[in-house]
Amino acid sequence: MSHLLPEVGHVRITTEAGREYVFRPALSRVAALGNPIEIIAIYGDLHRPSAARDAAAYVLAMFCDEPDCSELIGWHDVDGWHHGAIPTGEMVTIALHLMMHGMAGKARPGQRSAPGEYSPRFDVAEHIAAAVVHLGVSRQEASDMTMTEIQMLVEAKYPDAHKKAGKDYATRDEYRVQMAAIMERRKKALDKI
């Protein structure tokens, strides 16, 4: 059994009887939720009160190391829904935590980033391929990682990349060079008239 890494999104829940359940939001488990569009739909359902319980139970079941965690998450049968040991609100919170680490990542805890753009799909294969290429790991190793873990490894391998990527404005000297080039082009255009 691999190590539990809470900083990359792993969660351990221990029942009153002492039974442990471990949840890992690895890319392979995110892929098991459905196709790229279904994955986003499940994430959306976690934010809808009418669908959150079922979506959370599904996410937790798919991300659990144990084949059956119904003791925690509850179950459906002919008599309807039976609640598990985890209250619905906590189940949704844990599922959102797992999905965040499995899909979006959170490489620098405590540091807020700018909101990303909405995408109607989450293509796990693309992220696995990127990890293989950029980190030099096997497809299996990449699929066993969470997005947070991949982001942390990329940041460790390319520590200056986020500094360069975050620069969205020109320095004073760059501005002057760009303005001089624009003025030169304008002058040439006016001379032709």
Side-chain angles (χ1 to χ4, degrees):
M1 184 169 157
S2 59
H3 297 287
L4 182 72
L5 300 169
E7 60 275 7
V8 300
H10 300 170
V11 173
R12 176 185 293 138
I13 298 174
T14 306
T15 65
E16 289 181 11
R19 183 160 181 191
E20 285 189 351
Y21 293 89
V22 175
F23 302 86
R24 299 176 202 274
L27 288 176
S28 60
R29 292 181 181 186
V30 173
L33 293 174
N35 67 43
I37 293 171
E38 291 169 336
I39 293 168
I40 296 298
I42 291 165
Y43 184 74
D45 285 347
L46 289 170
H47 293 87
R48 285 189 266 291
S50 61
R53 182 198 67 203
D54 291 344
Y58 181 61
V59 167
L60 291 174
M62 297 304 290
F63 289 1
C64 189
D65 284 357
E66 297 295 321
D68 180 15
C69 62
S70 58
E71 166 187 17
L72 291 178
I73 64 173
W75 65 93
H76 285 286
D77 65 14
V78 293
D79 296 324
W81 178 257
H82 300 270
H83 290 280
I86 305 174
T88 299
E90 288 179 31
M91 217 167 49
V92 171
T93 300
I94 294 167
L96 284 166
H97 167 85
L98 292 166
M99 291 293 279
M100 189 240 346
H101 281 283
M103 292 173 51
K106 187 177 180 184
R108 288 187 231 144
Q111 196 172 47
R112 295 187 61 89
S113 60
E117 291 182 22
Y118 170 77
S119 175
R121 53 186 291 121
F122 180 77
D123 195 337
V124 174
E126 288 178 11
H127 295 287
I128 290 173
V132 169
V133 169
H134 295 292
L135 298 173
V137 297
S138 71
R139 286 187 58 73
Q140 183 60 52
E141 289 169 321
S143 69
D144 288 340
M145 293 180 190
T146 68
M147 282 300 292
T148 299
E149 191 171 12
I150 289 170
Q151 288 174 352
M152 290 172 78
L153 292 170
V154 166
E155 190 171 306
K157 186 170 183 177
Y158 308 104
D160 294 331
H162 73 279
K163 292 176 189 170
K164 292 175 186 169
K167 184 181 163 195
D168 59 354
Y169 55 90
T171 65
R172 186 173 301 232
D173 290 336
E174 290 170 336
Y175 175 78
R176 286 182 184 141
V177 168
Q178 290 171 358
M179 288 306 294
I182 291 169
M183 297 306 280
E184 183 64 30
R185 283 193 298 262
R186 282 187 185 169
K187 184 178 181 230
K188 286 181 183 178
L190 289 173
D191 289 344
K192 290 181 180 179
I193 298 178

